[in-house]
Amino acid sequence: MSGEPLIFEHSRPGRRAPSHAPGACADPVGLPAGLLRTTPPLLPEVTELQAVRHYTRLSQLNFSIDTHFYPLGSCTMKYNPRAANSLAMLPGFLARHPLAPAGNGQGVLACLYELQEMLKAVTGMQGVSLTPMAGAQGEFAGVAMIRAYHAERGDLARRVIIVPDAAHGTNPATATMCGFEVREVPTDPQGDIDLEALRQAVGPDVAGIMLTNPSTLGVFERRITEVAAIVHAAGGLLYYDGANLNAILGRALPATMGFDVVHINLHKTFSTPHGGGGPGAGIVAVGERLEPYLPVPIVGERAGRFVWLTGQDRPRSIGRLSAFMGNTGILLRAYVYMRMLGAEGMRRVSGYAALNANYLMAKLGQAGFEVAYPQRRASHEFIVSLKGIARDTGVTAMDFAKALLDRGFHAPTTYFPLLVPECLLIEPTETESREVLDAFVAALVAIRDQARSDAAAVKAAPLTTPVRRLDDVRAARDLDLAWRGHGMPANGA
Amino acid sequence: MSGEPLIFEHSRPGRRAPSHAPGACADPVGLPAGLLRTTPPLLPEVTELQAVRHYTRLSQLNFSIDTHFYPLGSCTMKYNPRAANSLAMLPGFLARHPLAPAGNGQGVLACLYELQEMLKAVTGMQGVSLTPMAGAQGEFAGVAMIRAYHAERGDLARRVIIVPDAAHGTNPATATMCGFEVREVPTDPQGDIDLEALRQAVGPDVAGIMLTNPSTLGVFERRITEVAAIVHAAGGLLYYDGANLNAILGRALPATMGFDVVHINLHKTFSTPHGGGGPGAGIVAVGERLEPYLPVPIVGERAGRFVWLTGQDRPRSIGRLSAFMGNTGILLRAYVYMRMLGAEGMRRVSGYAALNANYLMAKLGQAGFEVAYPQRRASHEFIVSLKGIARDTGVTAMDFAKALLDRGFHAPTTYFPLLVPECLLIEPTETESREVLDAFVAALVAIRDQARSDAAAVKAAPLTTPVRRLDDVRAARDLDLAWRGHGMPANGA
Amino acid sequence: MPFIPHTPDDVAGMLAAIGAGSIDALFDEIPAALAVAGLPAIGPGLSEPEVSRLMLERAELDGRPLCFIGAGAYEHHIPAAVWQIATRGEFYSAYTPYQAEASQGTLQLIYEYQSMMASLTGLAFSNASMYDGATAFAEACLMAVRANSRSRSRRVLTTRALSPAYRAVARALLAGQGIELVELPLENGCSSLAALAPLAGTDFAALAIQQPGFLGSPEAVDELTDWAHTQGMLVIGVCNPLLLALLAPPGEWGTAGADIACGEGQPLGIPLSSGGPYFGFLTCRKALVRQMPGRIVGRTVDVDGRPGFTLTLQAREQHIRRSRATSNICTNQGLMVTAATIFMTLLGAEGLRRVAAQCHANTRALVTALTRLPGISLAFDTFCHEAVLRFDRPVAPLLEALAAGGILGGYDLADEYPDLGHALLVCATEMRSAADIDRYAQALGGILQGTTAGRGRRSRS
Amino acid sequence: MPFIPHTPDDVAGMLAAIGAGSIDALFDEIPAALAVAGLPAIGPGLSEPEVSRLMLERAELDGRPLCFIGAGAYEHHIPAAVWQIATRGEFYSAYTPYQAEASQGTLQLIYEYQSMMASLTGLAFSNASMYDGATAFAEACLMAVRANSRSRSRRVLTTRALSPAYRAVARALLAGQGIELVELPLENGCSSLAALAPLAGTDFAALAIQQPGFLGSPEAVDELTDWAHTQGMLVIGVCNPLLLALLAPPGEWGTAGADIACGEGQPLGIPLSSGGPYFGFLTCRKALVRQMPGRIVGRTVDVDGRPGFTLTLQAREQHIRRSRATSNICTNQGLMVTAATIFMTLLGAEGLRRVAAQCHANTRALVTALTRLPGISLAFDTFCHEAVLRFDRPVAPLLEALAAGGILGGYDLADEYPDLGHALLVCATEMRSAADIDRYAQALGGILQGTTAGRGRRSRS
Ligand SMILES: Cc1ncc(COP(=O)(O)O)c(C=O)c1O
Ligand SMILES: Cc1ncc(COP(=O)(O)O)c(C=O)c1O
């Protein structure tokens, strides 16, 4: 337990130190007694000091961008400007009820409207809906729109979504959620999509393809125009997974590449915080064909006032994906960040992200690491395979990851994409300095040296973290997912 | 350097990542060139991420109330409510210019006015000035008022302030700053002031006495009424150092004890944060005799509006102790805390502070530690002397302090008051739980056991802190008080 | 270059190491036809002072009306400690805790959250959060359809007493898989028990009910649960977690308890914030855990035998199971869970109960005050912390007039429940004082009399 | 019991361990005649929601006027990161770093602060802070009197161009020790150089000058410094630290540089906040360090040879030297120093310079706009970031009329500088836009024409 007990273990029955709730209040009148709770829930009874101390201590057990280099590939862990946080949390924004009339939200609606416009500009698309609450929900919105498009045309045979083998897991999972079957296409040795296989895969049963470009292999899909032509010719539409937009911001537009719909993880490219798991924001942008189907609400403008456009205004919409308006507070953070960057700043994002990734790739290559696509430019990320080292020493990508923690670096993404064995997907981002990258190279070299001289030592890592390697098998077998009270078995009802 | 380099070492010449300043701006016109700076100051050139990461990491090197038990005697390190922080930092309060007219500050003035009234109630005094910025400045204000009082009466021979030997260092230092000589009086074996010695000490050259009650020995001065009579009879006035007011809040009033003036450290009794050194607030309260001399400004009320009373309104004032109005933001925090406690909550403060101190004293006594005044009630703090252990094992109070750090406790105050050898002045405060106190007793017992079995191990502590014991002699001898640039000697111009 | 650390020397040295002539050269794999030179539609960057001023103005543009709207999002007091701790960089700027050893803070906190939600809902297991209450409901339906092996239908029985927004979201999310929602009609503001009988024997995977219902009235959860179970359906309970300190938890409904509980976490310390970010919670009976979507944290031990926390049961998730995952959810609402966990810790069971009871008392006071006005009556006698008022005229113009006077008078039910006539859903949380309620009643009285409220829209009391 | 963790069981058990019958019994050493039963004048406690509402109302009571006052406190942009980091519990809730090993965060930060202030002022050593600019000035005078062994006087020569508030505070703090301030007269808004000659040969411990002067005009610091040094005086420079990115630092004044520098740290990231908490800075030449008041942090090594930080030169301080200490200061303004250090780090030398230059440019624009109005002229041609305007009529009624329209027009000099006629000290920091300045000019123009400004007091542009 990392030295810090559970909050429940700080609790004592009868401790009453409330300052946050109203004074004692009688049970409601008029409610049938049978509907009332008889035993109180098992929440801790602690003072504010105990709570503050406990959660402050817990926070200190985390790695985070604010404390560590965090080169987690595909996740774009760059600096989250503090101004975005405080400005999105201004009392005037926080206090507004989601069902307050639009007339009472002109300030926030102005920001959202302008955000929609900026997102059109960075994608080249024609319509935007801000409502999806993370990348995966953006994917859902996109694929659901593709479905609605075919359905409205009566083209009901299209039951398949094509996904490359290197795709992120959310892509196939989303296709399934939308009721499609998934058909995988392979990658060629240069990291591009296998065009021959794609030609085989398309057909009248194909609704569309989901791609990210640059791909999760960290390289730009050079024949994207051909890919688009093949899919479009077969009657399918193209979905752009914008998780990697950071790599091409201001350099190329998904619309020009031939995509019909794109989601953007604002928590990646536009640097809203990931909060140890979320919230994100997975806005969708579409071309003309899919514009009518955008999920609602959308911010519109009428006679100089901003209004919510809902299902009544947009009857062909795929509908509503959240009870209100998605992760508004996150949208405001992205808005602040984009306004601070401006056009030039956005191009710098991709430029310096590419500089850092290519530099790190070059340095690691020169240091003798096996880079997955050494002949290619890295995008904002790249892959190192530790296959050779693992074979020679038994030290795996996982071991490297843990050894990095001991050296004060968060590990890169491991074992994704699945098709490169023993891989590290490394994304330094544009906000890290050259010094940090050099130190990271030195750490990887040192770990490799240790792997050769004393593999067991690397496999023993981490030693300096609050806990050492955890027993995952036991975690899944003897499920202990909730505390049940002093002296109670872990499993409960 | 605790593993974290200096911020200057993160800096690189030519790094330009500004987002906080206006765009480039020409040098001012019209200023004589000779008055302009020619070489820029040596400030770091870092990104916001580097700054945030650096100072976040530094913060993690600290012990604090929010992370550790911090029984620092005399300092009253209790929980600082987070609401006080956020409410004092509301934008409306932060934005107000100190020279804005009072009509533009009725909100903040209302708080300060009510704070003055509450402080009168807790001291029994008749007038309050909020302006002193810490305890020592409150002492200054008090002694300066005593001086002004005698001076106005033409009683110019009173050049001495009496101070007990156990007094805090600020008491004699303040007397000197006010132009007085200091005369010490001793403590009797029960911890009370030596009345005989006091009678000897008073006389026509004595302006007054500075006392804290309970004293820094952690016991209540039982014959305070007699003390007051002796000093008053000799024409002197009584100053109450309110650093220990936490111990008697709502139980006894300095005014009733016979004091003429009192300061209160709001950062102790009223739980404003100490911020790793300050700011504090050392408000003064006075009886009738000293009322005319209070430092300005004071908040007054006229026709339902709050106004600033300044030197023009109060011509006999000792004057102004700060450029504007002291530590207003700290005053607001104390105001919030006092309003949250209310009358009952304030009495609970002293009650539970005494409960914790007496419990800890009893437990340590039972565990065989030598308590300084075992026959006395502890106030909110008490003294343990490690003289015996030090004699037997060579392990000193300082060694105990360092060993406590390794066990996750901040050390008590050591070697103060100066008259108890090898002392620990222990103040648990009312916001700590019994479990924490029990764990602290266990830690002290374990350290004592180790001192007996392996003194060297205790003397080697701390081992788990970011640095181990520091070379203080070298620090004072080879002064290195500022970084001078890469490769530059430490001492500079 | 805001946020970018590179000096000109760095750039030159790094390009040399790469062997590239310029930063632009790093993009030479982008076919020329696709390359764009910039983003002309996007303006120049603003400095932090500039953007701060802009946002301050926008945040203050619309005043701070007095709010009597609930309808799924509630203004509660949020202790200052909650967000001061939750926005600490170590929580705020971390990713999903993939590297458990470097993420024990987040992981332990989620384990504590799961424990609290399990206990609040009276069910065995909780996941680490869903996007919001509505998507949690949709995922609960999917989960039930997958889990109910006795049912062959792709239909879920629900009710018009369940939030219209939740039903809308569920329809959008379930459509692709051909899952259908069937709705029980209303009777006196609640799900009609009379409507059950005709449905007996029809195959539904689950019955989904909301307690209290969207219209504020408590549902007969015991009867509904037991009926559904006899029909072989699973039972999904949708709840306001704050009210669960007061109301019987889903796990105790009827004889056997509901099987799945879900709902909106916003009342637990999350600011209203125009609708998000909030979070959805989802808990279930032990046997259903492998059908649960989303992240789950488990407690285990490390190689030295020390207890520690880790993501577990990942084989259900998209990054392992891909197209056969229980859901596509990846990023969830972690930071909101952080805040909610601190919130629940600070309030405790007794604090939550008091807030809930005070909301009820205030709404009751509001109902009393407003029903004294001519033409306004209480629609349904029994209510929890919001209530439906019936008017003798359309509500919309009244709400507009109130808003002009700085009062948001409630949620107009005309669009969603036209059958209720001129009906308004009102809510007075513990944040509304007696004076606030009085101000509302005065203002509405004035409007009804044809005079305007005449108070400044910014002042609060 | 807000903030108190004890359960009834705890209390019983603890009293038993003590051997006392009740908590009240623990106070039995207080003589009965002195004991009070409670605090009847203090009301009942408020819950956090109640006190929050009260404070929110008070914070918003007075609107947000557009501020053109400087006069020692300045509205600058404070990066959001500054206070988000400074209020982290580990900084916010720590005490003075007496236990160095448990306080390396605070200690290293102070060392960095000292380094920055030393470099900004061009002097060798800085302490860890004083209460505010005015007390720092008073302590600088005391320090000079102690340190100047060539002087036998207890007199410090200063000037009317130095802040009246600072002089008032110094008088209050120095009176007890019989130290006297003598003031140079003004000439054209600056210290009169002509007044120096008659003072030659008079014994003063030090000359204290402020750059720029309180009235905004730059002083002839080189001439004044050299003259004072030839007279055997020490030189104290009082500065706005933000402007030191632009102006020659005290350590470079004249041939030898000033000996001591001090001033108000508020411009470095500290909110205006009605006057405090701010912090004073104090730096000095190497030889004077043992006369320095307050805490000082030094870098040293630990027993393993690792670098680390600790409080040093404590023998100067009250807790060691007691009545012979350099000052009675104990608690200083640590948290403000934390914020200022982060502020200086984020702005850097170039950022500070830009802010300073922009303040100058804006004040210049303001002067231009206002002196276009009839009856207003610039008093002194050369100014830094504030300037004196001369009016043809009393200023106070104009300021009142401006304030009614939501504009704080400047600092009226009538009380402190009646000899300047109807004079107003104005300041437009980098926070004032061209539109703000225009609004001021329009409003004042209207008032001068006898019409009122007629704009709402809350809106900003
Ligand atoms: C390539 C890719 N696609 C999709 C996603 C899913 O996005 P989210 O986690 O926001 O749902 C991610 C991120 O995790 C990703 O890296
Ligand atoms: C007994 C006593 N008196 C005076 C002081 C001085 O107060 P301050 O540090 O606020 O100047 C202190 C605290 O340090 C103290 O403990």
Side-chain angles (χ1 to χ4, degrees), chain A residues 142-152 159 178-180 207, chain C residues 175-178:
Chain A
V143 177
M145 284 189 272
I146 291 175
R147 194 172 192 285
Y149 168 83
H150 293 304
E152 228 181 67
R159 312 240 9 101
C178 290
F180 288 104
Chain C
Q177 298 185 49

Side-chain angles (χ1 to χ4, degrees), chain B residues 74 134-137 139 168 170-171 212 216 241 243-244 263 265 267-268 274, chain D residues 95 131 330-331:
Chain B
S74 210
Q137 216 193 24
E139 294 175 29
H168 193 268
T170 50
N171 292 182
T212 176
T216 56
D241 175 339
N244 294 334
H263 92 257
N265 305 63
H267 48 294
K268 299 183 179 183
H274 201 266
Chain D
Y95 206 78
Y131 301 131
C330 176
T331 290

Side-chain angles (χ1 to χ4, degrees), chain B residues 420-437:
Chain B
V420 183
E422 296 298 334
C423 76
L424 300 179
L425 179 60
I426 305 176
E427 180 178 9
T429 85
E430 70 278 8
T431 63
E432 295 292 342
S433 68
R434 180 185 185 173
E435 303 96 272
V436 167
L437 305 186

Side-chain angles (χ1 to χ4, degrees), chain B residues 336-406:
Chain B
V336 169
Y337 178 73
M338 292 178 83
R339 291 299 305 265
M340 288 184 82
L341 288 189
E344 204 189 336
M346 290 195 197
R347 246 175 97 83
R348 262 191 224 120
V349 160
S350 51
Y352 287 85
L355 180 65
N356 275 1
N358 281 284
Y359 174 72
L360 203 48
M361 182 169 88
K363 283 288 194 183
L364 287 174
Q366 287 155 20
F369 281 93
E370 184 187 336
V371 167
Y373 298 99
Q375 308 316 334
R376 301 288 309 266
R377 291 279 187 220
S379 60
H380 62 322
E381 59 194 1
F382 64 96
I383 294 174
V384 162
S385 170
L386 301 170
K387 193 177 50 183
I389 301 169
R391 188 191 50 222
D392 297 346
T393 67
V395 171
T396 64
M398 173 70 84
D399 298 326
F400 267 77
K402 301 306 179 193
L404 279 169
L405 303 182
D406 274 340

Side-chain angles (χ1 to χ4, degrees), chain A residues 17 148 150 175 200 299 354 385 461 463 491:
Chain A
H150 293 304
Q200 305 287 323
V299 184
S385 170
L463 294 163
N491 279 349

